[in-house]
Amino acid sequence: MFLLTETNDTSDSVSSTVTDGFYQPIKDYVKMNTVNSKQYAFATIFMRDGSKTSFKPKYPNFANRKHTHSEEFVIEELEDFISRNGPMVETVYIYSYNSPCLQRKGGVQPCMFMLMQKAAEWKEKYNILLKVGFTKFWVPKCPDWFEELISTLDSEKFKDYRFKLDYKNLADKFKKSPIFSLLSQVDNLEKNTLFDKITSTRKDLLDLAQSLDNIGLRDDLLLKGEQLINSCKCSPIVRDEFCRILLKEWSETVNNSFEKDIKSKIRKEVGHAVILLFMDKLRSDWRNSFPLKLYRVSSPLQPNDNDVQ
Ligand SMILES: [Zn+2]
């Protein structure tokens, strides 16, 4: 079931007409596209005579130097439609998977402000109401100093922080690993055995990194990998180096995953707080008279949303 609420209100405060009009196209779109966390946006227009027009989803275009966000394509399409049919239009619904951005590079106006401007313009000209729904909170880009700040976090203070290992990060490290150079240090007779040992140990580590119960504390995750690596039996000529390389790759993966997880969590919380503050400000400045209303649309059909609840 879809849940449609105003962003700072957990009650189902919208009328059934609005709910039907808003989320049916989203449901249809999601059904057609299965799980898709890629950004997209589309509009549905309700006319004063009771009819409605839905437009196809638009995707951002990052191919050019000037990036175009999906909401910009939607606005362009709406501009064209409203310039021809403005007096007939009653309400415009826009759904954007991520909430419209509040920050752009190169002096480009953020989508949220473009939408606010359009909402005011369409209200004044044709008395149109604009309703914007989103599922994920837009997340601001972080400055370089933020990256540095995270890398200097006192890990002792985060020793109770649980996170999931980044399996892909470990797989990437294995691709670039120097470990197979150890084969040149053993006799021909032992080469095959060592090759098999390297391959099977790496597979065990990847399985460990991927296992579902592997959301854990940093020290525990480090220890699990260490135990697995240290229990390996291979030629004593290369054993120290064999363990050293694998331990390095494992511990770097644990530390990278820890940093990545914390960064992502902080960015999401900042993004969430910024949007809620923005809506609060909008409400206190305009009370209920502002022609743009923002809704949070939560859809369990998109499991990737779980991390932003
Ligand atoms: Zn944008």
Side-chain angles (χ1 to χ4, degrees):
M1 194 189 88
F2 284 87
L3 178 70
L4 187 65
T5 59
E6 282 200 67
T7 46
N8 67 345
D9 183 359
T10 51
S11 66
D12 192 359
S13 60
V14 286
S15 75
S16 60
T17 320
V18 172
T19 307
D20 291 341
F22 205 117
Y23 76 43
Q24 192 57 49
I26 299 169
K27 211 149 79 175
D28 293 345
Y29 180 83
V30 172
K31 268 187 198 160
M32 280 189 299
N33 292 273
T34 62
V35 174
N36 182 358
S37 64
K38 217 162 56 166
Q39 165 61 15
Y40 63 93
F42 63 88
T44 296
I45 295 180
F46 275 66
M47 309 298 280
R48 296 190 191 281
D49 64 3
S51 63
K52 87 177 177 183
T53 303
S54 289
F55 296 96
K56 283 186 178 167
K58 301 284 179 293
Y59 300 92
N61 181 0
F62 296 124
N64 304 326
R65 278 183 74 191
K66 179 196 172 297
H67 294 174
T68 311
H69 291 186
S70 39
E71 296 94 322
E72 291 179 88
F73 290 118
V74 171
I75 291 172
E76 203 178 291
E77 200 168 38
L78 286 171
E79 278 275 82
D80 178 54
F81 186 90
I82 291 172
S83 69
R84 288 181 284 110
N85 307 286
M88 303 279 294
V89 177
E90 186 176 58
T91 311
V92 174
Y93 295 94
I94 296 176
Y95 174 76
S96 175
Y97 184 69
N98 289 287
S99 61
C101 65
L102 284 160
Q103 188 183 46
R104 293 281 288 268
K105 276 186 178 169
V108 182
Q109 197 180 30
C111 296
M112 185 70 93
F113 300 130
M114 285 188 204
L115 288 167
M116 285 172 66
Q117 211 171 48
K118 288 294 149 199
E121 193 183 310
W122 295 335
K123 169 82 177 171
E124 197 187 321
K125 274 192 190 165
Y126 308 111
N127 201 24
I128 295 171
L129 187 61
L130 176 60
K131 302 198 175 197
V132 178
F134 67 92
T135 296
K136 279 197 158 185
F137 286 94
W138 167 81
V139 175
K141 280 253 181 295
C142 293
D144 293 344
W145 58 259
F146 178 81
E147 302 284 327
E148 284 168 29
L149 185 73
I150 296 291
S151 64
T152 58
L153 280 179
D154 179 358
S155 54
E156 261 305 290
K157 286 188 180 155
F158 286 86
K159 64 181 184 344
D160 294 329
Y161 184 82
R162 303 181 82 82
F163 61 98
K164 187 161 173 54
L165 271 183
D166 184 354
Y167 166 82
K168 283 186 184 160
N169 188 270
L170 187 63
D172 282 349
K173 286 198 180 301
F174 285 167
K175 276 184 203 156
K176 297 169 196 159
S177 174
I179 199 162
F180 284 109
S181 65
L182 299 178
L183 294 172
S184 63
Q185 296 178 36
V186 295
D187 295 339
N188 281 345
L189 285 172
E190 285 186 82
K191 280 193 196 318
N192 279 347
T193 318
L194 180 58
F195 182 87
D196 289 347
K197 183 47 76 180
I198 292 172
T199 311
S200 65
T201 309
R202 299 211 304 186
K203 184 180 177 305
D204 290 345
L205 286 169
L206 286 170
D207 287 347
L208 181 61
Q210 207 174 16
S211 60
L212 282 176
D213 61 351
N214 217 5
I215 295 172
L217 307 173
R218 175 145 78 169
D219 289 350
D220 288 349
L221 293 172
L222 285 171
L223 187 66
K224 277 186 189 174
E226 271 174 38
Q227 285 170 338
L228 195 153
I229 294 163
N230 289 331
S231 68
C232 286
K233 292 185 174 60
C234 69
S235 166
I237 302 167
V238 294
R239 190 171 185 282
D240 283 355
E241 190 59 5
F242 170 92
C243 291
R244 191 194 65 76
I245 293 173
L246 287 173
L247 284 171
K248 180 172 179 282
E249 289 164 351
W250 179 259
S251 64
E252 281 176 0
T253 301
V254 172
N255 291 328
N256 290 347
S257 308
F258 168 78
E259 277 188 21
K260 191 176 160 191
D261 202 278
I262 288 214
K263 270 184 213 167
S264 151
K265 198 169 177 17
I266 293 175
R267 290 180 68 216
K268 276 176 186 163
E269 289 195 3
V270 169
H272 189 141
V274 165
I275 300 288
L276 293 186
L277 275 173
F278 176 80
M279 289 309 296
D280 252 10
K281 179 88 173 78
L282 207 60
R283 277 197 185 88
S284 66
D285 285 356
W286 293 83
R287 304 201 180 270
N288 274 333
S289 63
F290 194 71
L292 184 152
K293 301 229 177 295
L294 200 59
Y295 297 87
R296 175 85 192 283
V297 180
S298 166
S299 160
L301 285 177
Q302 297 181 309
N304 292 342
D305 295 345
N306 291 345
D307 53 0
V308 295
Q309 292 302 315

